[in-house]
Amino acid sequence: MIRRLIYTILGLGSVVLVIGGAGFGWLWATLPETAGTIEVPVLEQPVQVYRDDSGIAHIFAKSSRDAYFALGFVHAQDRLWQMETMRRLGAGRLAEVLGPAALPSDKWMRTLGLYRLAERQVEDLSEPVRAALNLYAAGVNARIAHSRRLPWGVPALEFAFLGFTPEPWRPADSLVWGKIVAARLGGNWRDEILRTRLARKLAPARVGELWPLYPDDAPGTIEEALALTRPFDLDKLAALDPAPAGLPRGASNAWVVARKNTSTRGAILANDPHLGFTQPILWYLARIEAPDLKVTGATIPGVPFTILGHNGKIAWGMTNTQSDIQDLFVEQTDADGRRYKTPDGWRDFETRSEIIKVKDADPVTITVRESRHGPIISDIDGGTARAAGKDVVMALSATYLEPEDLTPEAFFHINRAENWDAFVDALRDFQAPQNNFFFASTGGDIGFIAPGLVPVRKRGWGLVPSPGWDGETDWTGYVPFDELPSILNPPSGRIVNANNRITPKGYPHFISYDWAPAYRARRIIELLDKKRQSVHGTTRIQQDHVSEMAKRLLPLMTDIEPADEGGRRALAMLGEWNGAMSRGRPEPLIFSTWLLELNQALYADELGDLYREYLTLRPRFIESVLRGRQAWCDNVNTAEEEDCPSRLRHSLDRALTKLADTFGSDIGAWRWGDVHRARFANRAFSGVPWLSRLVDLEIPTDGGNYTVNRGASHINNPSRPFEHIHGPGFRAIYDLADLRRSRFIIATGQSGHPASPHYRDLLADWRDGRYKRMSTAAAALKNSADTLVLTPVPGNR
């Protein structure tokens, strides 16, 4: 019996090993070919693709035409599933493969009509740009076709997992990415709704206090919007956006230093855009060398142009302006809902039907109406439309919904620009969202310009929904390009932006009231002014994690008498702390938890069920309360009148109790890195318990929401408020004295394939401030890198 049991166990073990071995064998077999020769159509001359030891693609082609094709092929080899989800998101076709759970997203995207705009955009572009898009698409499709001839027959694991094959790639698939990013970065319409929802609970003046630095007459504007939106179920309207409330906003750092302030005899430009983390990361490093196109930097799979980088003559970077490019308008309709009121009388809605296919369910048909202001978003949810009644609906205006968008032209020409004038001319075509572009040239010029459509409003600032029928708050046009903020070669020899205000006092046009606090910008300037800059010194600035926000708030928070010995020790530690959000220290954890508890103590009682909708760390509001608006310190739900010191003691005590319950009583053993971990979730497999441990990436990190090395989190996530989910997925430093010395890093790895050695190999380098160069000569790459040769099929030349 024992012998039989042993044989049975051994037999089962052998079966498991065979099945597991076969599975791993199939997994490894699905990795893309990175060496050898592949015959492809469309190509005119052979192209060499060298992948270095980090998987970074170096494309050497005889023409830009063949280079665009090769980039499409390489992107599809390493990131096709990422590209597939991007185009399906933008087209509102996720439910087709993911099922009913994706319907809210699809309804939202179909209502906005982003893909329809991308299709129209293709026709508006110049012939050279259309040719680049078509060649790139041909490269993607060549990879898809080639994969079908291989034994496993699918171009990426996820297609096998979900049981479908990708459709041919189209130019509009590349362009919809820009629309998606613009919608994400320019999405402040939910703040308009939130301010109005809060006005149903609070006096308008108190709503204005929740957003310090707003205009003096904002309370009156909010009061008007309160009456205007009374028929709407604003809770349902706010829930239409598929993204959770309170996510960190898109942000970035960029600075450029003139050569007179550097030790390299050339300008230095640094850039790190901040976006939400995914696995794989949004960015893909690539270098293209062709006689008529030389670019190195960050590409985005699905797009043929280099978004951030250098071309041997100039380097460029970007930050988000955070301008107000969206407004909500309440439209008055007639009895049957076919027409809406305008200043010139009644006008018919433009209508269309959208059929959304749903996996394992019946198709869903929605009717989309559009007014002169934009799509009617209140039609998306039937409950919202009924709550609104028959006489009013809500329309969304946004600059990224405007037709005749030539933004792809801008990137096409930036990739080829050789000086400031050509760079600026290229950006005349940039539409949305408004961004801050940084510039440096090998000739010594440095510059800044903020291109993009900025609405000129007849009245108001778009803080809350306004009437659409009277025309009083309509957009009358856009700020002229030549009047947008810009500067060339400032006397200081440096330009810095970290999403802070870009307009000087007296600037004649309204851009935004939603500028990021100046904490990061102030810290960068402080470090730049200490000494002449080098590339090594610039890397240290990008890694800096001292919180100017913490240093500003702590004197206001710690001026209290602690309740007990634990509080006394915590205050002593914070009193000696330099504000560095170091993953190995307890002080960042104590401070952040205390600040979160203080937010709850100050306004959860007034806001009630809207508390989490408004909740982030809100340092400017906290400072305004502790410096003067101390009525917020009184808990309206208690009879006793409370002051700010008591609220500070209460929130500190709650924070220390929670931390002790989680991490033990030894306060010195607590670590910020225990909760502040960068997480990169694989969207295809993250929900599968046994797979998520293999495909999701995590690593403890320094930084916080307001540090230069930004470690932003979703503060109103009740279970993981400090998880690092947003930040610099790409960092670059450009040395204009010799651009070959420029350095780059992305957060995860080049490949989206979990079995690839380049799926996660850059993660620790990214966290620890190590970079890659992308300037190795072709001869050296031949001896040290995988070499893939794409060659035309016979008769193709």
Side-chain angles (χ1 to χ4, degrees), residues 200 226-234 330 384 386-389 391-392:
R200 293 180 174 180
L226 180 61
L228 180 68
T229 59
R230 188 166 287 115
F232 289 92
D233 185 335
L234 295 180
V330 177
T384 300
R386 286 192 296 273
D391 57 344
V392 287

Side-chain angles (χ1 to χ4, degrees), residues 274-348:
H274 306 167
L275 295 167
F277 289 161
T278 59
Q279 174 54 9
I281 202 68
L282 173 69
W283 307 100
Y284 183 91
L285 299 177
R287 170 188 175 196
I288 292 175
E289 294 283 342
D292 56 337
L293 181 65
K294 299 180 187 295
V295 281
T296 301
T299 66
I300 290 176
V303 180
F305 311 120
T306 299
I307 306 301
L308 302 165
H310 77 77
N311 63 13
K313 298 289 187 180
I314 71 166
W316 66 95
M318 284 193 288
T319 65
N320 183 235
T321 310
Q322 297 194 344
S323 49
D324 190 340
I325 61 170
Q326 292 183 338
D327 279 345
L328 292 173
F329 290 91
V330 177
E331 307 283 20
Q332 183 177 343
T333 70
D334 62 8
D336 60 11
R338 294 183 180 179
R339 298 187 302 165
Y340 65 99
K341 193 174 182 180
T342 77
D344 301 318
W346 294 92
R347 185 183 298 183
D348 289 340

Side-chain angles (χ1 to χ4, degrees), residues 81 84-85 87-89 92-103 106 158-159 161-167 356-360:
W81 176 250
E84 178 73 18
T85 54
R87 67 169 169 176
R88 284 188 174 274
L89 170 66
R93 294 183 57 196
L94 285 173
E96 199 172 313
V97 296
L98 300 180
L103 259 178
D106 284 357
E158 293 85 353
F159 294 102
F161 184 72
L162 292 172
F164 76 99
T165 55
E167 299 171 358
I356 304 173
K357 296 179 181 178
V358 184
K359 183 179 181 180
D360 300 326

